Amino acid sequence: MIDPSRQIVLGNDVQQQYTELKHELDAAMSRVIADGRLVLGPAVQEFERDFAAFCGTPYALGVGTCTDALFMALTALGIGRGDEVITSPVTFVATVSAIVRTGATPVFADIDPGTFTLDASAVADAYTERTRAIVPVHLFGLTADLDPLLEDARRAGAAVVEDAAQAVGAAYWGRPAGSFGDAAVFSFFPTKNLGCYGDGGAVVTGDPALHARIGRLREHGFEPDGYVAVEEGGINSRLDCVQAAVLSVKMRTLRQDIARRIAVAARYDELLRDTDIRTPEVPVGRTHAFHQYTVTVPGGPEHRDETLAYLRKNGVDARVFYGQLVPHQPAMAAHAGAPGRWPAAERYADHALSLPCHPRLTADQQNYVCALLKPRY
């Protein structure tokens, strides 16, 4: 039976995962502390090798946050003032703030109403002579439809940086998310599919020159093993060794955890089959890693919000992610658009609801969530 007084968490149950891996995690962190090399030491180098292999790329660089990762990837590609970068209005604000931080102008294209990822035809219409890059967002663990996006970018001479912050373990036609663009960025925030015990991120790439430049940018512009800053605009953004050791331990069960997420999502699909709730669409050729299990519900946003309040009152940590589109947020007023400019994104914002989904979610917990939800739809 479910105890409603104990909240059913939305994402990773960090405490339960720690309990399961306590011996390995404690030992790994203790080794790093005893070794004394705490910044860009062997633990980081080991994790970078393993994570690059997981992503199917030659290179990975551990950095302080995914936000910094995106800023440095764009900067290393030469994106700056006067340039335009196309991205999605349905994303965490950091995707766009990183673009703005380079001095470039974000340009928003509408989403596909079924997958919530960028609509390739809308992106094609958004190109101008100032477009220098696109940032497709692999939202909730599902990749964007990359083939047409990459083809149009090549034709326009634009760089592609995959925002894979939520997509560790996702794939497109069998290839891992992050292995398609000029670079890709990942988040290791604790609730992500692969999460550390603080902030952390990575950039992966197949370009040795880009790898070298980002490696300098993350450490004040220094050349490796030196203190001569050769890159103007370098910052301090390094994944520390304790976090890298934590991530290396968690990588050992990562594929198993993602398989469990997929199984949880499939069970939700079955439980919600006879309702008017629209469950996540997974097109042929894409592997959804289910960082979030996000549905759309009928009725207006008021009814959706009432449902959200009802679930939370009864101990279910459901959420509405990106219910206010990035270009509609006050900080992005300079890039705002009139209502109706992104109709699929606006519909998403009014109807989306994310349900608890993580490897440790039990069948009883799913039954309880759906027993609360189904009578309303």
Side-chain angles (χ1 to χ4, degrees):
M1 296 294 291
I2 298 299
D3 177 6
S5 67
R6 187 184 187 280
Q7 190 176 59
I8 300 174
V9 299
L10 180 79
N12 273 337
D13 191 327
V14 176
Q15 293 171 310
Q16 186 176 349
Q17 186 184 35
Y18 174 69
T19 299
E20 292 174 4
L21 299 174
K22 184 179 188 306
H23 177 74
E24 295 94 331
L25 288 166
D26 288 354
M29 290 186 282
S30 294
R31 281 193 299 271
V32 169
I33 294 167
D35 177 74
R37 288 175 288 182
L38 302 178
V39 179
L40 296 186
V44 171
Q45 295 162 18
E46 177 185 350
F47 171 71
E48 288 174 339
R49 287 193 299 269
D50 290 346
F51 191 67
F54 181 87
C55 294
T57 59
Y59 308 106
L61 287 161
V63 300
T65 69
C66 186
T67 310
D68 285 347
L70 182 53
F71 167 72
M72 288 187 286
L74 291 169
T75 298
L77 285 162
I79 306 302
R81 193 169 304 280
D83 298 331
E84 292 180 351
V85 178
I86 300 171
T87 193
S88 172
V90 181
T91 185
F92 185 52
V93 69
T95 304
V96 183
S97 65
I99 296 169
V100 172
R101 187 175 168 193
T102 69
T105 299
V107 173
F108 298 98
D110 207 0
I111 62 169
D112 178 280
T115 65
F116 314 141
T117 60
L118 277 175
D119 183 322
S121 62
V123 172
D125 291 341
Y127 275 94
T128 73
E129 70 275 1
R130 295 173 58 194
T131 303
R132 291 286 309 283
I134 68 168
V135 178
V137 178
H138 301 332
L139 196 69
F140 301 142
L142 182 69
T143 69
D145 188 8
L146 287 164
D147 281 343
L149 294 173
L150 291 165
E151 182 179 349
D152 287 346
R154 282 193 293 268
R155 189 179 300 118
V160 177
V161 179
E162 299 171 65
D163 182 345
Q166 303 177 6
V168 170
Y172 184 79
W173 292 111
R175 281 179 55 186
S179 65
F180 292 86
D182 296 276
V185 300
F186 291 86
S187 170
F188 303 132
F189 189 76
T191 58
K192 293 296 193 293
N193 289 14
L194 178 62
C196 57
Y197 290 147
D199 282 319
V203 185
V204 302
T205 183
D207 184 335
L210 197 60
H211 168 257
R213 188 170 187 201
I214 296 170
R216 294 190 295 268
L217 285 171
R218 73 173 171 176
E219 196 173 13
H220 304 287
F222 293 157
E223 288 283 8
D225 302 318
Y227 291 95
V228 178
V230 298
E231 292 284 356
E232 187 169 341
I235 63 175
N236 179 21
S237 183
R238 302 169 295 199
L239 182 69
D240 72 66
C241 291
V242 171
Q243 302 298 354
V246 167
L247 292 167
S248 289
V249 170
K250 291 188 177 184
M251 279 197 69
R252 297 170 196 165
T253 60
L254 180 58
R255 293 190 189 280
Q256 179 182 356
D257 283 349
I258 290 167
R260 289 176 177 172
R261 287 178 179 273
I262 292 170
V264 166
R267 192 163 189 278
Y268 268 135
D269 289 349
E270 185 62 33
L271 288 170
L272 298 174
R273 184 178 303 279
D274 296 326
T275 70
D276 292 328
I277 296 168
R278 184 172 180 177
T279 55
E281 180 178 317
V282 185
V284 173
R286 295 190 232 181
T287 301
H288 201 317
F290 288 103
H291 169 59
Q292 301 292 346
Y293 184 89
T294 301
V295 302
T296 52
V297 296
E302 296 83 5
H303 184 52
R304 186 272 314 275
D305 292 347
E306 289 171 2
T307 298
L308 174 64
Y310 177 72
L311 290 172
R312 293 179 69 83
K313 178 182 177 182
N314 285 278
V316 176
D317 185 22
R319 303 281 181 92
V320 173
F321 287 104
Y322 322 131
Q324 185 177 26
L325 303 183
V326 174
H328 291 168
Q329 296 182 23
M332 297 296 161
H335 313 292
R341 185 169 179 179
W342 305 286
E346 290 171 20
R347 177 170 175 77
Y348 160 87
D350 287 345
H351 296 271
L353 180 65
S354 294
L355 304 178
C357 183
H358 57 82
R360 290 152 191 87
L361 193 70
T362 68
D364 282 349
Q365 288 174 323
Q366 283 190 277
N367 292 342
Y368 177 73
V369 171
C370 293
L372 293 173
L373 190 60
K374 289 169 68 173
R376 304 179 69 88
Y377 297 100

